[in-house]
Amino acid sequence: NVGYRDLLDSIDDIITNNEYNIWNSYKTMIYFCHHILMGLSFLHNRKMCHLDIKPENIMVDVNKKQFRIIDFELTSIEPFNDYVLKFKGTPGYFPKYFEYDVITKYLPKIEANDTVLIDGELPMIKDRKLVYKIDSFCLGRLLFYLKNIYKDHKIIYCWNTEKKNEKMLDEMITDLTNNDVFTRITINECLKKYFSLI
């Protein structure tokens, strides 16, 4: 048992029960992001890409405030031959808009160009390293979802202490969900930029 519940359950606690067991500040979300970035960096440095980062695939240990990435079913190894020829991912998180995507204020329409043909070819086929940026995008969407649900439901009593952390979180989300796969930040670049690591 790697955790008490999955991340989606902890988000549902905010919505349905007004419970903030773990998500009690933007600082906690930054700590969470750092933890997940480190896990993804571990994979990427070993030439593996998870490719399905979403709330259901992260376990949360509420007591220890620890997080674990799970479900490696879509994980691919560089040069990602199995993946680039038949890419797949979770709608709403994967950087492609599907006609049946449910669009909400927490998961707005995706305009990313990861799966747009350029000179008759997908960017990730021309440059296999762009596959790593799918993890960036998925994590950014997850953070956007978590942050905005928290913001809409939490009553904040001392806003000034949260402003700096919210700004940092928003900047990370913007970098990770950049619609242009060529300029989107990688996991390691995110660690270096925001946590002075790598």
Side-chain angles (χ1 to χ4, degrees):
N1 183 11
V2 295
Y4 178 68
R5 55 202 344 201
D6 70 33
L7 179 64
L8 187 60
D9 290 334
S10 73
I11 293 171
D12 286 342
D13 282 346
I14 294 172
I15 298 167
T16 57
N17 304 323
N18 206 29
E19 283 182 25
Y20 298 87
N21 299 351
I22 195 155
W23 310 116
N24 53 16
S25 68
Y26 293 126
K27 186 176 182 179
T28 304
M29 290 177 210
I30 290 168
Y31 170 78
F32 160 77
C33 183
H34 179 233
H35 206 94
I36 299 304
L37 284 167
M38 292 296 287
L40 290 172
S41 176
F42 179 86
L43 289 175
H44 291 192
N45 292 340
R46 284 150 185 82
K47 303 198 179 298
M48 295 183 287
C49 200
H50 187 279
L51 300 168
D52 199 22
I53 296 297
K54 60 183 180 180
E56 298 90 332
N57 288 344
I58 297 179
M59 297 302 293
V60 177
D61 186 325
V62 177
N63 299 322
K64 295 180 182 177
K65 292 189 179 6
Q66 292 180 341
F67 311 95
R68 303 274 191 278
I69 299 169
I70 63 167
D71 192 353
F72 293 84
E73 183 179 333
L74 297 186
T75 299
S76 185
I77 300 172
E78 194 178 323
F80 310 117
N81 293 329
D82 60 326
Y83 188 77
V84 296
L85 300 176
K86 192 175 181 183
F87 60 85
K88 47 195 171 270
T90 300
Y93 294 92
F94 182 78
K96 173 180 172 44
Y97 172 70
F98 297 95
E99 296 279 326
Y100 51 82
D101 274 358
V102 177
I103 298 169
T104 69
K105 75 184 225 177
Y106 301 122
L107 289 174
K109 185 174 179 182
I110 293 170
E111 305 285 350
N113 66 355
D114 297 62
T115 59
V116 174
L117 295 176
I118 298 173
D119 297 328
E121 211 168 18
L122 292 176
M124 70 177 92
I125 290 179
K126 279 187 169 183
D127 180 359
R128 301 296 176 94
K129 296 218 181 280
L130 294 177
V131 172
Y132 289 112
K133 294 186 178 189
I134 292 171
D135 280 349
S136 299
F137 191 87
C138 293
L139 177 59
R141 292 284 284 189
L142 184 154
L143 288 171
F144 181 90
Y145 181 64
L146 172 63
K147 185 248 177 184
N148 285 289
I149 284 178
Y150 169 83
K151 185 174 184 173
D152 284 355
H153 292 83
K154 178 74 173 171
I155 298 170
I156 299 173
Y157 296 102
C158 185
W159 186 252
N160 286 339
T161 61
E162 283 287 83
K163 275 187 178 180
K164 182 180 171 188
N165 291 325
E166 182 182 21
K167 184 175 186 270
M168 180 179 171
L169 193 59
D170 285 340
E171 288 172 3
M172 279 195 287
I173 291 168
T174 298
D175 284 342
L176 290 167
T177 58
N178 183 333
N179 286 328
D180 184 0
V181 67
F182 299 104
T183 57
R184 183 181 310 139
I185 199 168
T186 66
I187 295 299
N188 287 336
E189 288 167 343
C190 191
L191 277 168
K192 185 175 182 180
K193 180 176 180 178
Y194 293 102
F195 301 100
S196 301
L197 296 172
I198 299 190

